[in-house]
Every structure is written in structure tokens, then in C-alpha cells.
Amino acid sequence: MGLAIVHSRARVGVHAPEVRVEVHLGGGLPSMSIVGLPEAAVREAKDRVRAAIHCAQFEFPARRITINLAPADLPKHGGRFDLAIALGILAASGQVSGEALDGWEFLGELALTGEIRAVDGVLAAALASGRAGRRLLVPPANGSEAALAAEVEVRTARTLLEVCAALDARKSLPRAEAVACRAAAQPDLADVRGQAQARRALEIAAAGAHHLLFVGPPGSGKTLLASRLCGILPDPDDGEALEAATIASVSGRGLDPARWRQRPFRAPHHTASAVALVGGGADPRPGEISLAHHGVLFLDELPEWGRHALEVLREPLESGCVTISRAARQAEFPARFQLVAAMNPCPCGWAGDPSGRCLCNDDMIRRYRARISGPLMERIDLHVEVPRLPPSALRHDAASGEPSARVRERVVRARAIQQDRCGRANARIDQAQTDAHCRLAARDSALLERAVDSLQLSARSLHRILRVARTIADLADSADIQTPHLTEAIGYRRLERGRERAAA
Ligand SMILES: [Zn+2]
């Protein structure tokens, strides 16, 4: 008697490590101390727990109460442990059964009235509870999110009193129910008129998970095109959807449980801070690149982004995750997004336009394009020009484009071929897989060498051309990469030459 242990979970990055709340009642003057929480959080937790216990008509023990949150080295913040602490006090003082607490984990902040309030990062906690073989209790507001973790039994309770009644087996608690998924209407490619080349590049990008850059004057439809990428991608599998939902859940921006199966589309503005883009903060939260995990990150006005922000993109573009170091703490967030970037061809936006309205000189254009570093440019497989459309193409009676559903069928077929061959999309195959599956005929090898030479491309760019050519061949259902596939892939690198030449 006098000791109770209750299980709960902290939030660290996208993980939910177990926290053991140990409550000990001892002799001596009545007091309450909490070990393992920061000072300010302790004071608030004490007030809430004490008031909630009174409100539930229980007795607050007039003993020396010591509460230990273990392990000690986890960040523990917010009120997520309130419910576990209150239950620990009630169990240690014999007011609820300590045995009944076994096999459960508890999450929830207490209001002074004893009502249980929502906390964040519940999905990660539910997945972890399931792996630990325990049931999870959360407030009703967190129920539909926790229920996405299909392997775990999740119950909800509105108040501390309800939880205690259930532990005494006087009342059963409702199971958390998953809400039905609503398929939101995705913008359709049928709305995009003309722009055959850009549409083609978008389809290749979708088919092989390649990063893509649109270059064109304002109003040419770059944003319109980018926003259609999610609609032609295959559906995420359960694991991918859960990973993306977990990130949304810990982001502090909330997760819509009805939309969790939809690939995210994130389009941050170029005035966003580096922390907003890649994540960070004293209590590290995921940034836009992680919120775009398994979805699309659209960066418009690419040269307007700070050089620093663009450089930190390089690691996640390669590895699919980002590591954030803050003081003594490190957090790793997944960030396997597909990048679609857009930029004007010059500072005024009209270089190359037949109207001749661009007055930028070569030096201005060079400096503008040099804001995007070579290494970043190299990691973008497809560079495509999006010209301003002639007025005839914008008339209301102009033919509408092929609808997304048809394009998507071809993308899904091409992805299935890649999945069978290497277990992943072409953009993500490694060196050995590239060597094995992107072989060229001798004549085509010579062609590629010449192109790499005249475009002054790096070895990295060469391998990326091969992977894009592989995707084009897959879209054509061709076992081999043939000359037209290769020349088309090389064509998507032409802007890089323009950049190198301008920088020379
Ligand atoms: Zn210009």
C-alpha cells in the first residue's frame, strides 16, 4: 500500500516513448512533489490534479506524495500526464484498484472540473501502446485519431470520474471509433489547357517519383499544374498513410482523421522561416518538408527562397529524412516528399517571351539563376519550360485537357512495373539497381556521353538521366530503354546547361 504505477507516453519527434508514472505516499507533512517535470509544468499539474480529484468527489490524501516520471531523460511537457498522475494518487491511496490499471495506458490533460482534455501526438502513442500490448484511454476529442491505429483497443472517457467508475467495473467505456474517410475533390488535369510538354513532364514525375522544376512567366499555369500532381499519384499504402498521419498529429496543427489517406500537398510561401520549412524549435516539431512526407512539396518562386533554406533541402532530398539538433536534443523526422519547384526565367519573368517585354540583361539573369545552387539543381530530375499560352488556347471553347483519372491509370501501371522490378520508384533506386536495370545499347551510351559532355553534367546528373529514361520506358511498357526514351530524358536537363553557361 502507498505505491502505484501508471503507464503513459511522452512525445519525442514522431515517437511516443513509454513513461512510467510512479506515485508514492509516505508519512510526514502533507505535500506533493513531482520529479521529472520542469518546474513551471509541475506547479500547473499539481493544481489541476488536486482540483480534479476534489471535483470527482474523491479524497485528496493528506500525506507526503512523491510522483516520479521515469525515465528521467525524456522531455516531458504539457498536461498529457495529468490523468495518469491523478489515477496514480487514487490507486496509491486505495480509492481505485491498482490492479485494474494494469494493461492500460492513459493520456489526457485534466481541467479543474475533472474533465479530460485533448493532447497532441495521440496517433504515435496509440501505435506504440499496441506494440506494447496494452489498451489506451484517451479523451473523446482524440478518439478518432487514436482509432486509426487499428491494432490497439482504444477507449474514451470524458471525465476522471468516468475512468474511475470503469476501473471499478461499474461502467464500461465506449470504444473509440474511426471516422469514415471522405475523399476530397482533387483539382483535375482536365482544367489545364495546352501545355502538352509540361503535362508530359508531370506524368513522368508522377510515374517515377522524380523531382520537377517548372520554368515560365507568371500566369503560365505552373501552380495549376503542380497542384494536380497528387491527383495522378497512386494511393498511399496503409503504412505510408499512417506515417504521414503521425507527422500531422505531432505537428501541433492537428490531423483530420477523415483525410488521413490522402497524400499531403504542401505549398509554403517563400517568406516562411527555415524552421517552418524544415522543422525545429525548442521542442522540435516537423516542418513543411515533413508534413509533405509521402506527398508533394511545392516551392513556388524558387530563387526567392533564402539560400540557407534551399541548402538544407539537399539532405532530405537525398535521404528522405531530416535531423534537427537543438541543444542537447536531436529529433529525426521523415521527409520523403516529391519536390515540385517553380521559377520565372528571369527577375521580371518574361525572358524568352515573344512579346520582347523582358528588359533584364544577361548579368541580371545569371545572378537570378545562380541563387539556386548547382547541387540542388542536380537533384531535380526534370526541368521543363512552361511558356505563356497563346490567347487562342485560353478561350472558353478551347479543348480541355485529358482528365487526371486517365493519366493516373498509366502512372499506376508504370509504378507497378517498378515495384516488381526493384521494390521502389525509379527515382529512389540505388547505384547498383541503376547499373542493372538502366542498360543502354552501345549507340545510346555514346549518345549519352556526348550529351553529358556538351551539357557539362556531373556523374550524378548522368545517373539521374538514366532513371528518368527508365521511367519513360516504363510508361511506354518497354523492357529496354530505347533511343527516344533516352533523348527525351536528356531533354529535361537542358536548362541545367543554360545555368552553367550563364554562371561561367
Ligand atoms: Zn526579364
Side-chain angles (χ1 to χ4, degrees):
M1 153 74 195
L3 180 71
I5 292 171
V6 189
H7 298 282
S8 187
R9 293 206 172 259
R11 175 179 64 70
V12 180
V14 288
H15 305 291
E18 181 175 338
V19 169
R20 237 179 30 249
V21 179
E22 302 160 351
V23 179
H24 179 256
L25 301 190
L29 287 175
S31 68
M32 177 174 173
S33 63
I34 305 180
V35 184
L37 271 187
E39 200 51 46
V42 168
R43 219 173 314 122
E44 291 165 15
K46 277 183 190 173
D47 291 345
R48 289 191 303 261
V49 168
R50 192 190 301 269
I53 287 179
H54 278 306
C55 264
Q57 309 285 316
F58 287 105
E59 190 191 323
F60 195 86
R63 307 274 296 274
R64 187 190 161 96
I65 307 172
T66 309
I67 297 156
N68 182 36
L69 271 57
D73 61 342
L74 287 174
K76 300 185 223 45
H77 35 68
R80 61 199 298 117
F81 309 110
D82 285 0
L83 177 59
I85 291 172
L87 289 169
I89 293 173
L90 294 176
S93 57
Q95 300 180 80
V96 302
S97 149
E99 278 164 36
L101 295 170
D102 276 352
W104 280 97
E105 295 186 358
F106 300 90
L107 277 181
E109 177 174 326
L110 288 172
L112 300 179
T113 57
E115 207 178 319
I116 308 171
R117 288 180 174 158
V119 297
D120 65 2
V122 167
L123 177 54
L127 292 166
S129 302
R131 284 192 293 270
R134 298 198 191 95
R135 291 178 284 178
L136 177 67
L137 191 136
V138 298
N142 288 134
S144 56
E145 181 185 321
L148 296 181
E151 308 293 310
V152 56
E153 180 182 336
V154 181
R155 303 267 169 174
T156 63
R158 283 173 300 150
T159 63
L160 176 61
L161 194 59
E162 275 189 11
V163 180
C164 296
L167 291 172
D168 282 351
R170 280 184 278 123
K171 183 178 177 297
S172 70
L173 293 171
R175 256 191 120 109
E177 300 285 349
V179 295
C181 276
R182 290 190 307 269
Q186 296 263 28
D188 200 287
L189 266 174
D191 310 333
V192 180
R193 297 171 199 278
Q195 302 297 14
Q197 203 194 2
R199 292 177 63 107
R200 167 76 174 161
L202 194 70
E203 180 173 334
I204 295 167
H210 302 285
H211 304 305
L212 170 67
L213 171 67
F214 287 131
V215 183
S220 54
K222 294 170 299 205
T223 305
L224 204 68
L225 282 155
S227 62
R228 267 94 186 141
L229 177 53
C230 281
I232 59 171
L233 288 170
D235 287 331
D237 63 31
D238 278 6
E240 290 173 338
L242 270 180
E243 276 179 34
T246 305
I247 296 170
S249 156
V250 301
S251 70
R253 295 168 211 214
L255 158 72
D256 179 354
R259 299 278 163 84
W260 74 289
R261 284 196 162 277
Q262 224 163 304
R263 289 192 188 271
F265 178 82
R266 307 293 304 187
H269 190 258
H270 63 76
T271 52
S273 67
V275 167
L277 184 65
V278 298
D283 162 25
R285 300 269 189 176
E288 290 289 341
I289 62 170
S290 294
L291 291 166
H293 186 52
H294 294 309
V296 173
L297 179 72
F298 177 51
L299 299 185
D300 200 3
E301 310 272 5
L302 193 63
E304 303 299 329
W305 285 82
R307 188 147 194 134
H308 172 67
L310 293 184
E311 289 313 294
V312 291
L313 278 184
R314 276 163 58 183
E315 181 206 333
L317 278 174
E318 204 80 351
S319 66
C321 71
V322 62
T323 308
I324 294 159
S325 303
R326 281 289 174 282
R329 223 157 261 302
Q330 263 201 352
E332 198 174 76
F333 292 105
R336 189 167 293 293
F337 55 88
Q338 194 170 352
L339 176 67
V340 180
M343 64 185 279
N344 295 334
C346 68
C348 82
W350 295 99
D353 194 72
S355 65
R357 60 195 272 193
C358 170
L359 297 174
C360 306
N361 61 36
D362 287 354
D363 192 46
M364 288 161 72
I365 295 178
R366 180 182 63 76
R367 271 185 280 131
Y368 180 73
R369 296 197 177 181
R371 289 193 213 166
I372 303 161
S373 73
L376 176 62
M377 203 69 166
E378 247 176 35
R379 286 166 169 80
I380 304 179
D381 290 341
L382 304 158
H383 312 159
V384 57
E385 280 177 283
V386 187
R388 188 167 57 118
L389 285 173
S392 62
L394 300 173
R395 288 213 318 262
H396 284 295
D397 53 355
S400 58
E402 188 183 17
S404 292
R406 292 236 301 276
V407 179
R408 191 169 172 277
E409 283 173 21
R410 294 194 293 268
V411 168
V412 169
R413 267 203 306 276
R415 280 278 182 114
I417 294 172
Q418 297 163 43
Q419 198 63 33
D420 287 348
R421 185 170 50 222
C422 292
R424 64 186 70 180
N426 286 337
R428 291 166 193 154
I429 61 176
D430 61 25
Q431 187 63 56
Q433 289 169 320
T434 307
D435 293 343
H437 301 293
C438 302
R439 294 225 181 86
L440 298 177
R443 188 176 43 139
D444 291 338
S445 290
L447 169 73
L448 179 57
E449 266 167 47
R450 280 199 306 280
V452 165
D453 216 38
S454 77
L455 298 174
Q456 296 171 19
L457 300 179
S458 65
R460 189 196 297 274
S461 295
L462 181 146
H463 291 124
R464 289 182 169 262
I465 289 173
L466 284 172
R467 290 170 203 158
V468 171
R470 182 65 263 171
T471 300
I472 295 170
D474 290 339
L475 275 170
D477 205 8
S478 165
D480 303 314
I481 298 176
Q482 293 164 5
T483 313
H485 308 146
L486 180 64
T487 49
E488 184 178 358
I490 293 170
Y492 294 119
R493 283 277 166 182
R494 270 199 308 258
L495 291 172
E496 209 165 349
R497 174 187 56 171
R499 187 189 173 282
E500 291 304 325
R501 202 189 262 164

